[in-house]
Amino acid sequence: MSNLPTLPVTFRPGRTRVVLLTAGVVILLVISAVAMLLDQLGPGERLSFILTGALVFWVLAQLARVRVVADDRGVTVVNIASRRRLDWAEIVQVNLRPGDPWVFLNLSDGTSLPALGIQPGIDKQQAIADARTLRILAEARSVRDPEAPTEQDQG
């Protein structure tokens, strides 16, 4: 298939990432400025304001780090608090249904893994294109059991 991207490829919610990181920087700067401008605050209180701003920035940065990385051997899904490595053969289906907050990967063990790196929140068309690309990659690279029934056989 000539329309497959060159691997490795990283999928991440670009616009959402920009919004989160920008908001984090602005919040940190505003809270720090307030801490410095309030004369009645002592050094410890100023520090606690700045640390609170830094904590808010850190949380938003964690939300912004989500991604899905596809390479020759498989896919790495980085979500807010977890990272999981999958072989191509483990991915049975890539789903992004209307109303879904992000892509779900149906896995060969019967479970489903959310992949927050592809989410339609701010840029729906990009998420749809990324989900389609990941689906094509998974279908092209997964090793299917030729004896296993397909959806066409069951329907």
Side-chain angles (χ1 to χ4, degrees):
M1 287 186 164
S2 60
N3 60 344
L4 291 177
T6 304
L7 296 178
V9 64
T10 301
F11 304 100
R12 56 177 57 179
R15 289 183 184 172
T16 301
R17 180 177 165 83
V18 168
V19 168
L20 289 169
L21 292 174
T22 301
V25 168
V26 168
I27 291 168
L28 175 59
L29 292 175
V30 167
I31 290 176
S32 298
V34 168
M36 295 305 175
L37 293 174
L38 291 177
D39 292 334
Q40 67 268 32
L41 296 181
E45 293 167 319
R46 289 180 200 273
L47 181 61
S48 69
F49 266 70
I50 294 168
L51 289 177
T52 299
L55 178 63
V56 170
F57 174 79
W58 180 82
V59 168
L60 294 175
Q62 293 306 300
L63 294 172
R65 77 182 197 106
V66 298
R67 64 188 174 277
V68 177
V69 181
D71 61 32
D72 289 327
R73 297 177 321 217
V75 174
T76 302
V77 177
V78 179
N79 287 333
I80 296 167
S82 67
R83 171 190 231 99
R84 183 160 175 197
R85 178 74 185 162
L86 301 166
D87 291 330
W88 285 111
E90 292 179 79
I91 302 172
V92 175
Q93 188 175 33
V94 177
N95 283 318
L96 180 60
R97 297 175 303 259
D100 280 350
W102 39 71
V103 162
F104 288 91
L105 304 178
N106 292 341
L107 306 179
S108 58
D109 65 2
T111 63
S112 182
L113 176 67
L116 279 64
I118 303 174
Q119 52 182 269
I122 293 177
D123 194 353
K124 184 177 182 179
Q125 295 308 313
Q126 185 62 51
I128 291 169
D130 289 349
R132 185 174 292 126
T133 300
L134 184 59
R135 181 180 301 125
I136 290 168
L137 284 168
E139 289 171 356
R141 295 184 170 274
S142 292
V143 178
R144 303 278 189 232
D145 179 359
E147 301 296 318
T150 65
E151 285 183 31
Q152 293 172 340
D153 297 335
Q154 296 172 357

